Amino acid sequence: MNFFLIGYMGSGKSTIGSKLAQVLDYNFIDFDDYIQSKEKKTISEIFQSKGEIYFRKIENIYLKELIEDTTNTIISLGGGTPCYGNNMELIKASKHSKSIYLKASIPILTERLFNEKGKRPLIAHIDSKEEMVEFIGKHLFERTNYYNQSDATILTDNKSIEEITEKII
Ligand code: S3P
């Protein structure tokens, strides 16, 4: 069985994913880390040197590879992974797997992301919290339809890592 964690940047996919893997004694893969180690570059370097379209192409290729090769694994996807190409179909068609959407509100995402935007090329240019709120709101409007195709949704606002992990289990 594999579990895919889906959600916007800053929704806690990696933190919850590694906790869940620890509790369930599963393997854990952070998909951004997987891409970085395959490409031998950080996500920011890939965006900078090759552009977003290249990133979306390799994201799709590595997702197929990962789905074929893994079992008993918690996989934290990138925030955009389910929203491009046939990625959401691949996730849904992948055997013995469940997808879980970690849903967080715009104010909470803004607070988290404003302080750690450096490693995230899509938001690195945003200067104020007001702009960040507007950007996330628009982006979520475009992406929610994909996120909502997950098998389950967990509302994460005001919940501890332990509470969210427990709820998923
Ligand atoms: C992206 C999210 C990032 C990373 C890349 C693009 C997105 O992952 O894949 O910067 O399109 O939302 P995280 O959600 O882990 O930050």
Side-chain angles (χ1 to χ4, degrees), residues 67-124:
I67 286 174
E68 277 170 23
D69 290 352
T70 45
T71 49
N72 292 344
T73 301
I74 312 289
I75 302 159
S76 297
L77 295 172
T81 313
C83 315
Y84 290 87
N86 66 343
N87 293 353
M88 197 60 197
E89 279 100 77
L90 292 173
I91 294 163
K92 288 202 287 187
S94 125
K95 288 200 189 80
H96 312 299
S97 75
K98 292 279 175 219
S99 52
I100 297 152
Y101 170 28
L102 300 182
K103 188 171 184 174
S105 67
I106 296 171
I108 287 194
L109 292 172
T110 301
E111 282 306 318
R112 285 193 199 140
L113 290 172
F114 197 70
N115 298 320
E116 39 172 275
K117 58 194 174 100
K119 60 181 172 123
R120 293 187 165 97
L122 291 177
I123 53 170

Side-chain angles (χ1 to χ4, degrees), residues 7-10 13-14 30 32 43 47 52 55-56 59 77-81 84 119-122 139 143 147:
Y8 199 69
M9 293 177 267
K13 302 179 296 289
S14 306
D30 181 286
D32 282 341
I43 301 289
F47 268 72
E52 182 174 357
F55 176 78
R56 297 304 172 193
E59 188 178 39
L77 295 172
T81 313
Y84 290 87
K119 60 181 172 123
R120 293 187 165 97
L122 291 177
H139 219 187
R143 291 181 166 190
Y147 294 159

Side-chain angles (χ1 to χ4, degrees), residues 34-48:
Y34 183 90
I35 295 172
Q36 293 184 140
S37 72
K38 291 278 176 177
E39 293 285 302
K40 299 187 177 61
K41 281 192 176 101
T42 65
I43 301 289
S44 297
E45 283 164 356
I46 300 170
F47 268 72
Q48 221 167 28

